[in-house]
Amino acid sequence: RIWNRGAESLFGFAADEALGRSLDLIVPERFRDAHWAAYRRAIEARALGFRPLEAEALMATALADESSGAAKEAEQEFEQALWAAQSGRHEVISAGAAISLIRVSGEHFRRYAVGRQWAGFAEAAIQRLGSPPMLAAARLDALGSMAEDAGHADEAAALFGQAISLCEGALGREDPEVATALRGLARTLV
């Protein structure tokens, strides 16, 4: 196990305080039940050897960890979910994990080149699914957030605009998901 200076700075615990302790040390209490439930499901799915179910459980664990602020753990779990999904031919999870990796790489770690690589992977998975508009919009939204974080407001606004168009086309202008997509554009324009 590794606990470096970045982890010390992020979580506020020295290596000798953190190593060997439960993840409960860094997972906020309100997210612990979700984290451990998803983690148990991932272990059970792995024991069954059914890769699509394992991918779904790993994705749930990663989302819980990302929500709790455990970005490094989430990144590793998103990658594991993606590879399990690839092995089990679960394209929806492949696309979703790759989209999440765009977000984690770009927003959490500012590794924009890595985020763009995951964007290419996500695009391929989305195309294999027949280009469902909401997955394509999620990919564009993640790329827009990454561009915004990198200080590329014009690029971010264009990406958010494309995501909004896809959402409106799929759901109609009045759907709440469209409002969620508009939030990114509004942040960029302010």
Side-chain angles (χ1 to χ4, degrees), residues 47-83:
L48 290 172
F50 188 57
R51 299 293 278 177
L53 180 60
E54 180 183 349
E56 291 175 6
L58 286 164
M59 186 73 172
T61 304
L63 289 167
D65 282 346
E66 183 184 21
S67 294
S68 73
K72 187 64 183 164
E73 290 79 6
E75 180 182 42
Q76 293 169 350
E77 290 156 350
F78 282 131
E79 287 183 16
Q80 290 174 11
L82 189 143
W83 304 133

Side-chain angles (χ1 to χ4, degrees), residues 79-103:
E79 287 183 16
Q80 290 174 11
L82 189 143
W83 304 133
Q86 285 290 294
S87 175
R89 295 188 175 117
H90 195 327
E91 294 297 342
V92 172
I93 295 294
S94 290
I99 291 166
S100 296
L101 285 162
I102 298 167
R103 191 177 55 250

